[in-house]
Amino acid sequence: MTPPVDIVRIQYIGVIASLCFLLFVFHLMRSKHLRIEYSLLWLFFGVAFLFFSVSRTAMDSLSAMIGIAYSPSALLLILLMAHLLILIQFSVVISSLSDKNRDLAQSLALLELRVRELERRDSGRDAHT
Amino acid sequence: MRRPLAIVPAFNEQDAVQSVLADLACNAPAVDVLVVNDGSTDATAMRAREAGATVVTLPVNLGIGGAVQTGFRYALDHGYAVALQFDGDGQHCAAEIAKLVAPIEAGTADAVIGSRFLGTDGYKSTPARRAGIRLFEAVNRLLIHQRITDNTSGFRAYNGRAIGLLAREYPHDYPEPEAVILMGRNGLRIAEVPVSMRERAGGASSIRGVRAAYYMVKVLIALFVTVTRAARKERS
């Protein structure tokens, strides 16, 4: 016979973990380790987890609404979606960074060539005077 | 009329770059040369400078697309009306530059591609490579309604309009087939002239095995994405 499971306990843990997560994100934003625009998705899903930890009925009714018989799998679905979205955001940011990086490298190289040519022209003029 | 600019991308080509520059100086004396040193770790820049070329050195390796685009930006800044792409590994023949530039100066094309497959001297290649090239030809016909037999050729000439477009937007790795679609979608007229290319002095093509499969998939996806983009508005 399996011991009875205290289902309220996991709710407490969920609430505490979600709060810790939100606080951690907030701390990163305050200390400028995380730019506000990249924290929005994290905050959004942090709040969603907090909400579903507090209210068991919300989880159940959401599951019923989208046709999931076993409500914890709805939670997994949300978790998966959160990660997918955030990873796509990362790919977008990386692409934009690498484009800007390319632009910068090119501009730097072209400027360097101009400086070199100006210096050469300059030293040529010095030699004549 | 100003001289054309030959853009020579070079990544670790210290053994080839001087003979490429000698070929250009001897067989295309009326062309300015810009070597784009793509973050080489060897003496490429020094050797090129010794040979009298203007050298622009990228601080990091950007790959062929980023290197060639640096040349387009230089051409745009300096008001060149004609630019050429000429490989730094000795594959292309400077004597054929005049053929590439002719349609541009005659005003019959905005971009000219030196094709290995239009001529009669039969470029030797593996069956897989030939199949890939034929596939690209079909894709080009489908997407931009122009017949391009050699869209992987890096021996090309461009007029000012094409330079303006490509200086602003040029694909990253394996850029040649994508650039064709990009130009086609932006209403540029692309012509081809037959050229012959030398066998590589050392080493095989960088595109083999798993990389060849990656190349095909990447390029095909890129082509279809490029074609769905709206043409860029021209700034004048």
Side-chain angles (χ1 to χ4, degrees):
Chain A
M1 186 179 149
T2 49
V5 175
D6 182 3
I7 56 165
V8 178
R9 187 181 298 163
I10 184 61
Q11 253 187 300
Y12 286 137
I13 295 175
V15 170
I16 291 168
S18 305
L19 279 176
C20 286
F21 176 75
L22 280 172
L23 276 177
F24 179 57
V25 172
F26 188 66
H27 167 73
L28 288 177
M29 287 160 70
R30 255 170 55 95
S31 59
K32 297 185 179 169
H33 283 112
L34 179 61
R35 297 228 327 231
I36 311 294
E37 55 265 45
Y38 301 136
S39 65
L40 293 180
L41 277 173
W42 290 117
L43 284 178
F44 176 77
F45 285 106
V47 170
F49 288 131
L50 183 63
F51 175 68
F52 287 120
S53 310
V54 170
S55 165
R56 293 187 56 81
T57 50
M59 195 72 251
D60 289 338
S61 48
L62 177 78
S63 310
M65 201 174 75
I66 55 178
I68 292 176
Y70 180 60
S71 62
S73 45
L75 194 66
L76 281 178
L77 191 68
I78 295 173
L79 198 65
L80 206 69
M81 291 305 293
H83 282 86
L84 271 180
L85 272 178
I86 287 167
L87 285 176
I88 287 175
Q89 190 192 24
F90 283 179
S91 302
V92 170
V93 171
I94 291 170
S95 301
S96 128
L97 281 177
S98 78
D99 280 351
K100 288 173 186 166
N101 207 31
R102 177 161 102 152
D103 260 21
L104 285 175
Q106 291 174 342
S107 300
L108 176 67
L110 291 169
L111 276 176
E112 205 174 55
L113 176 62
R114 267 175 78 171
V115 170
R116 187 191 289 271
E117 283 178 346
L118 282 173
E119 277 175 350
R120 207 184 43 203
R121 209 172 301 164
D122 221 37
S123 64
R125 198 161 39 217
D126 287 348
H128 284 299
T129 51
Chain B
M1 179 107 193
R2 275 203 71 166
R3 296 149 64 92
L5 175 76
I7 300 163
V8 182
F11 173 57
N12 290 346
E13 296 285 2
Q14 61 177 6
D15 298 325
V17 73
Q18 283 191 332
S19 61
V20 169
L21 293 175
D23 182 24
L24 279 167
C26 176
N27 295 311
V31 171
D32 288 345
V33 178
L34 176 76
V35 173
V36 183
N37 170 29
D38 189 12
S40 296
T41 51
D42 65 1
T44 300
M46 211 183 70
R47 298 269 166 89
R49 229 168 254 133
E50 276 169 18
T54 306
V55 179
V56 57
T57 293
L58 290 164
V60 289
N61 179 257
L62 290 186
I64 180 79
V68 170
Q69 193 184 29
T70 310
F72 295 136
R73 288 177 60 173
Y74 179 91
L76 191 66
D77 287 349
H78 290 75
Y80 281 96
V82 181
L84 287 145
Q85 226 179 301
F86 193 85
D87 276 2
D89 63 1
Q91 254 196 96
H92 303 153
C93 309
E96 293 182 313
I97 284 179
K99 266 200 297 192
L100 249 71
V101 175
I104 303 246
E105 290 189 331
T108 55
D110 300 306
V112 181
I113 301 174
S115 168
R116 287 159 288 184
F117 310 120
L118 276 181
T120 47
D121 64 337
Y123 181 80
K124 286 183 285 294
S125 195
T126 63
R129 213 185 153 109
R130 267 201 303 275
I133 285 158
R134 190 141 317 142
L135 176 63
F136 279 145
E137 191 184 326
V139 168
N140 281 323
R141 191 169 312 168
L142 190 71
L143 297 186
I144 60 166
H145 313 295
Q146 300 198 49
R147 180 167 181 255
I148 310 292
T149 60
D150 192 0
N151 71 346
T152 59
S153 161
F155 190 18
R156 298 178 172 187
Y158 307 93
N159 70 2
R161 210 181 138 207
I163 294 169
L165 170 71
L166 299 178
R168 273 183 287 125
E169 182 169 339
Y170 197 70
H172 285 230
D173 50 350
Y174 310 128
E176 287 85 9
E178 263 180 87
V180 168
I181 303 293
L182 179 69
M183 292 189 292
R185 291 295 288 176
N186 282 276
L188 268 58
R189 295 159 302 159
I190 306 168
E192 280 191 311
V193 297
V195 297
S196 52
M197 290 194 195
R198 299 194 191 99
E199 298 291 323
R200 275 159 210 278
S205 166
S206 57
I207 300 168
R208 297 165 54 184
V210 178
R211 291 192 55 169
Y214 167 79
Y215 172 86
M216 289 299 297
V217 171
K218 188 260 166 187
V219 168
L220 284 176
I221 290 175
L223 295 187
F224 284 104
V225 171
T226 308
V227 87
T228 61
R229 286 187 190 133
R232 288 191 68 123
K233 288 200 187 74
E234 271 189 74
R235 271 179 251 161
S236 51

